[in-house]
Amino acid sequence: MPGPAQFTHLHVASSYSLRYGTATPAALAARAASLGMPALALTDRDGLYGAFKHVQACADVGIKPLLGADLAVSQGGRVTLLATGRQGWGSLCRLVSAAHAADDDVPAVTLELIAEHAAGLVVLLGPASDVGQAVAARHPDLARRALDRWRHLVPGVAVEVVDHLDHKSTFRAARLAELARDAGVPAVLSNAVRYLDPVGSLAAQVLDAARHLVPLGSPKIPPHNGRAYLAGPDDMTVVAKRVAAAMTGPGTASAAIGLLAETDELASRCMLDAAYDLGVGTHHLPETEGSAYDQYKELRDRCEHAILHGRYRTASAAGRPRGVSRLKAAQQARDRLEHELDIIARTGMAAYFLTVADVADRVRNAGIRCAIRGSGAGSFVNHLLGISAIDPLEHDLLMERFLSPIRATLPDIDLDVESARRLDAYRIIFDRYGAERTACVCMMETYRARSAIRDVAAAMSLPPDEIGAIAKAFPHIRAKHITAALTELPELRRSRLNDAQLATLFGIAQQLDGLPRHVAMHPCGVLLSDRTLLNRTAVQKSGEGFPLSQLDKDDAEIAGVIKLDVLGVRMQSAMAHTLAEIRRTTGMRIDIDAIARDDQATYAMIQRSETIGCFQIESPGQRELVKKLAPRDIADLIVDISLFRPGPVNSDMIGPFLRTRHGLAEPRYPHENLADALKETGGVVVFHEQVLRIIDVLTGCGLPEADLVRRHLSREGGPERTAPWFRAQALARGFDPVTVERVWQVVAAFGGFGFCKAHAAAFAIPVYQSAWLKRHHPAAFYAGVLTHDPGMYPKRVIIADARLSGVQVLPVDVNASSPDWMAEDQGNPSSGTDASTPATRPSPLGGPAAGRSPARKLMESSGPLQALRLPGRRPPEPAASPQAIRCSLREVKGISDAEIARIVAGQPYASLRDFWNRARVSRPVAEHLVLIGAFDSLYDIPGFPGAPNVRVEPRSPAPYPPAPYPPAPCLPAPAAPGPLSPVPLSPVPRPTRRDLLARVGVLARQSSPAREVTPALDLFTSVGPEAGDGMADLVPAGQLRELDPAERVATELEVLGFDVSRHVMSFYADLLAGLEVVSSAELPGRENGEAILVAGAKVATQTPAVRSGQRIIFASLDDAAGLVDLAFFESVQDRCAARLFGSWLLLVRGRVRRAGAGPMAVTVNGYECWDLPALEEIRVAGGMDAVRAAMAVGDVGPGTHQPLPPAAQATDVAAAGSADPAAPVTFANGFVLSPYAETGGPGGNLKHPPRNLWHASPGSTATPN
Amino acid sequence: MGRVYGEPVEVQTREDGRPTGFTWRGRRYTVTAVQEYWLVNRNWWRESSPLPARPELEFWRVEAGRPAGTYELRRDIAAGTWTLRRIAD
């Protein structure tokens, strides 16, 4: 062929063709450029998810983008559509939306739909089209008819010739080309690309299997051979010649040249201009009434009105920083408003602010809690408009961090709303702006290690059990780190996963790394645009029924569409529930956003680190930090939140900060001119805002420019590129070289880490609010937290904390429980349960009492609670608010919403039969309710004494193995006379829970599936449940043994997932006493460096970023008296990691480590650990000596001697990070990040204790599984 | 469809990989024409050996011998071995 070969691929699937393509748009564009191609099309299957990534990638490598889609046609086959020009792109967006709007699950278009949207589109009819299929079936006449139909319907039609060297594919390609020639339709050549290189075909083959849910080798999967790669011009010329050589008839001599020329011609027609055709680089805001000037005027009016009426925090004395007078504050407010309005006018963003204010107003008017998050809190205009509760003048926040006249991108205003009502907030926005301007942002769920292993292993036909075991053996890491993790993580090194036969599986799984596998709704993003939105993005329906844009958050930015983040925050829901409970129980209406932010009782509680359940400050690390920092006001909370980040940890800011904070060192400033910027943090750089000021002071560049510099610093190589400019500017302004160097070191080390102070301020408000509610309305607070589960801990930890705070936890009761957790007055007769039997209400602590029970008061003064209480922990003052919480029905395993609704609607119930007939729950749910004691109050079944779930002191007689009614120390025995004991004076024999369980069985056999609603209630109420419902004749009371305490706890763990009647650790009292295990309450009294044993139920594991770059495993154990915080360093992980991740109840040997500043901050550095139930079995069988002998040998517990299945060793591994295992990430300042450190949020996945890890002790009959 | 053999054969090829002749059961066959040529990945997921760099199998459907017959030859690219798969009627 003459001249240099040139070729443009017109049919290319990227990884955004879900479970089909294997190469990212960026990789494809880069390869195309390196092959010398002038342009590249992206024609993903069924969606435009990759479109803007492709446009960006092409711009980055300097080639032209083409866009299209490969769509299924409901009449049969698939066609590829290419967009020409702006009109074509709009048609494509609408056509893809239409494909997804079809009722069918599978996106598809009809011929008629294509005809309707044909403007600007070119249809490529390839081997997969009905035309190609007819050719393959050797029906040339049918093929011709199909082709003619397309030409009739759509103006732009071309035949697409593909030859992948499959069996007969060359023959078919030649026939298709002949058909095009004979019909006078242009024929183009493509390679129907699915991967970058031939080797990618294996992963593509696996994706085909995963997509069709069949194993490899299934006839559903077409044969693969590695030819659908991004071939270069020479390879494509070979294909063209091969096809031409197979053609017969006229014109075959020039057929190859013709194919390539037509391809080139069509490619040039379809090249798109990012700015003109796709609208990249312009902002598409919702249309508003009036001109830009009117909008600006309206914004100014509203802000000035707010200032005039003093509606900003620094207008009041409480909100003003010390030393600022009212007059000065007012002057500052006016100056700041002018400054911000000037920036807004210059950026033309007035409409944007008004839009967000409108959304925030409407959300709040619907009664949904709404708070600002992020840098938007730095804007005074946001505060004046009521979007933000934070006055930037109170906390010295900068507008420039949020919006500056020299930054082209749209600013982000993020709103936090109640998680339970997030979708309500979305509906408000959609109703206001209409579906033609609004859509949710999508996000891709991608392949990670576990999911990749699962899909590859399933494709390779491994047995399902084995697949689960292998996948779960891995922590939550990137798929590309699988092989490295096998050799680097101790818990995997000891497994048998390194077998050669698994190498192929892992090899392919690694290739799937990061490929999108599922489209999901982004948790918070909503697009707001003008009415051309649907010409600029395809939309589909989300699972929740919302229009879901195929733009992700980055694409939205490129496409110039406003993205409003409306994030559902569970803590906001928890606080809303708390406030509702306070209102319901006490009548108090608290405006939580208006409370004073200086309550000393609240700060005192935070300083004691009694922060479990509070927003942001409940993790072990944060509890340690608040102990050291001892926050006294909101400013301190802002610092606390900012310090607990990788950046400050990384730059070792915490130590110097604490030293100056506690007066141990004088604040040191790199230069006296920086004192103003750094005063608030004792000379340590904590906030982004401080970096801006430092750069501004040294270089005089102004704050907007300084923000650009700061952003630049966080990029790779940014500091190196910035240094010369910074030095030159600072020297020119007269700073001496030593100072310049010193400041530069600080700025460079800070990099882009650190924290936006405005963001921290936005966080500090809910932190304070949640702590205030915990301090002053604990029962309502715990009800809120347990209902909405906002934090990192499993519910059993919250429940234990509630008890330690003096809030009683009441069990599920069919007559008293609600769908949600409720605050309850212990003696509240209105709950309906104990109207008839007030003296025998089965409170775990004895009889009823108003407010706090006498039993509790007795115990607090003399009983074990006092000893177990953390030093300094004070019960809240007796308030008018309730002191108990009632477990919700929703916690019952297997219960449906409909069942909950029926139960609540039918309350109260007179008997089990009454409940069965009217609540109409399934038999398993009825059995679960019986087993966890939901009928105890109805039938007078006593709660066990000793039930306050507090671990009985080790040296006292243990209640295990359980006798039917074991007398517990320090607590009144049930039979003892006295006001505290239940009085079993019922004339009718009392049934046991087992009796009731048997009766459920009888009822289930008696009743037809569709139970009648029997209006028989009042027949029985007069005589009591036992005599009245006739069940006693069928299953007489007292025939079956009552559940013993161990069985009760086992049942609770199974049905509820947490232990209510007593703490799970109480069953190991003998063992713990024999080993002299130290309780968490005794830890503060232990010597630094002392070797001790601790034990408890694992409630959290974390592997956060720490300064040394090691992977340190942090774990917390709940031992009934509180939490023990453990750290395991890399040197011991070989020995401990598998046990630590694999077992739930643990015994750990370690050394006490006392952190410097605070007297209370105690951690145990673990170096040995054992499975507690396994040790208990040894003790029961062979006594304490056998236990000690077993511990001396080493690891004890399930999985010790059988490394496989690996699931037993390493389930529930905490989330690990995404850095490269072979090369830990090293930051410019020498900080090394462990490749397995978590880089996401705090957590670990222990929210639900492993129900099946409850041990099966000999003699226990109820062993949940 | 003809008879299926699956026997190893010795094949002579041109530089571009196209077979020119083969020896089967002691008889030499000269390839006179290539009718078809295609590629298929091997069943790599059933194999315990590590994945080869080129997992493809090459199929050549050729006319050869006198009197002319149609033969299907398969080359395992990774191993470099040839198999006579079938003979068409």
Side-chain angles (χ1 to χ4, degrees), chain A residues 319-539:
Chain A
R320 274 198 293 277
R322 240 164 297 159
V324 177
S325 69
R326 194 174 60 83
L327 277 174
K328 185 167 180 214
Q331 185 58 45
Q332 280 178 347
R334 276 191 299 273
D335 292 350
R336 176 67 171 246
L337 175 63
E338 288 307 320
H339 175 63
E340 293 199 4
L341 284 175
D342 176 54
I343 293 175
I344 292 167
R346 279 197 275 157
T347 50
M349 287 287 164
Y352 175 62
F353 280 82
L354 291 173
T355 303
V356 177
D358 181 51
V359 168
D361 279 351
R362 285 167 191 272
V363 168
R364 287 208 186 93
N365 287 342
I368 302 172
R369 292 192 50 72
C370 176
I372 197 166
R373 94 155 38 196
S375 58
S379 159
F380 191 48
V381 167
N382 277 339
H383 183 58
L384 293 173
L385 290 174
I387 301 170
S388 158
I390 293 142
D391 184 342
L393 296 169
E394 182 180 355
H395 302 294
D396 195 20
L397 308 175
L398 295 176
M399 171 74 165
E400 284 77 2
R401 174 66 184 71
F402 169 62
L403 175 66
S404 82
I406 59 172
R407 215 167 73 221
T409 53
L410 287 167
D412 273 345
I413 300 184
D414 307 337
L415 300 176
D416 284 355
V417 299
E418 296 168 41
S419 59
R421 302 194 61 189
R422 176 174 68 106
L423 298 183
D424 294 343
Y426 280 22
R427 273 178 213 111
I428 289 166
I429 299 170
F430 279 94
D431 287 350
R432 167 71 176 82
Y433 292 96
E436 71 278 13
R437 294 182 189 82
T438 328
C440 295
V441 177
C442 82
M443 60 182 247
M444 291 288 169
E445 279 170 22
T446 57
Y447 274 109
R448 297 177 61 82
R450 287 185 177 188
S451 47
I453 289 170
R454 277 182 193 283
D455 274 9
V456 179
M460 292 174 74
S461 302
L462 264 63
D465 291 354
E466 221 169 289
I467 296 173
I470 297 171
K472 278 196 207 149
F474 284 83
H476 294 282
I477 54 172
R478 295 280 305 258
K480 67 177 177 185
H481 296 152
I482 288 172
T483 315
L486 280 172
T487 56
E488 293 188 12
L489 289 183
E491 64 269 25
L492 294 180
R493 214 184 297 140
R494 291 177 60 181
S495 70
R496 283 192 188 150
L497 295 174
N498 283 307
D499 282 5
Q501 58 191 30
L502 293 176
T504 301
L505 193 170
F506 292 143
I508 304 282
Q510 291 206 125
Q511 287 182 32
L512 301 187
D513 178 72
L515 300 186
R517 54 196 281 263
H518 183 68
V519 186
M521 187 163 135
H522 188 267
C524 52
V526 181
L527 298 179
L528 280 178
S529 184
D530 56 27
R531 76 174 79 77
T532 64
L533 179 67
L534 300 182
N535 286 336
R536 277 179 284 109
T537 173
V539 279

Side-chain angles (χ1 to χ4, degrees), chain A residues 184-209:
Chain A
V185 171
V188 297
L189 184 69
S190 101
N191 207 32
V193 176
R194 293 182 65 176
Y195 33 81
L196 220 47
D197 295 303
V199 70
S201 74
L202 305 187
Q205 211 167 353
V206 166
L207 291 177
D208 278 356

Side-chain angles (χ1 to χ4, degrees), chain A residues 259-273:
Chain A
L259 263 179
L260 294 170
E262 295 276 19
T263 308
D264 223 33
E265 196 276 325
L266 182 58
S268 3
R269 267 212 292 148
C270 295
M271 287 177 191
L272 295 172
D273 182 78

Side-chain angles (χ1 to χ4, degrees), chain A residues 165-168 201-202 205 216-217 224-225 227, chain B residues 36-41 44-45 49 51 55-56:
Chain A
L165 281 179
D166 294 314
H167 194 193
K168 306 240 182 265
S201 74
L202 305 187
Q205 211 167 353
L216 288 166
H224 281 248
N225 64 12
R227 308 312 289 180
Chain B
E36 280 180 62
Y37 165 64
W38 72 96
L39 300 164
V40 180
N41 279 355
W44 52 268
W45 59 93
S49 50
L51 275 180
E56 290 158 327

Side-chain angles (χ1 to χ4, degrees), chain A residues 69-83:
Chain A
D70 175 333
L71 298 178
V73 182
S74 27
Q75 287 98 330
R78 301 189 69 93
V79 297
T80 305
L81 299 126
L82 283 170

Side-chain angles (χ1 to χ4, degrees), chain A residues 450 471-477 485 488-495 1096-1104 1111-1117 1126-1130 1132-1148 1168-1172 1195-1199 1205-1217 1234 1236-1238 1243-1253:
Chain A
R450 287 185 177 188
K472 278 196 207 149
F474 284 83
H476 294 282
I477 54 172
E488 293 188 12
L489 289 183
E491 64 269 25
L492 294 180
R493 214 184 297 140
R494 291 177 60 181
S495 70
K1098 185 174 62 174
V1099 296
T1101 56
Q1102 275 183 295
T1103 52
R1111 180 176 85 141
I1112 302 182
I1113 304 170
F1114 289 102
S1116 297
L1117 300 182
L1126 300 163
F1128 291 84
F1129 290 87
E1130 268 182 2
V1132 302
Q1133 286 176 13
D1134 226 358
R1135 200 158 56 229
C1136 298
R1139 172 63 50 226
L1140 185 59
F1141 288 132
S1143 287
W1144 183 48
L1145 298 174
L1146 290 165
L1147 176 71
V1148 174
E1168 279 184 282
C1169 70
W1170 301 269
D1171 182 70
L1172 201 57
D1195 188 22
V1196 172
Q1209 289 195 3
T1211 48
D1212 292 318
V1213 178
S1234 162
Y1236 300 106
E1238 287 175 67
N1245 46 357
L1246 282 162
K1247 297 283 282 190
H1248 305 288
R1251 294 172 182 206
N1252 57 355
L1253 283 180

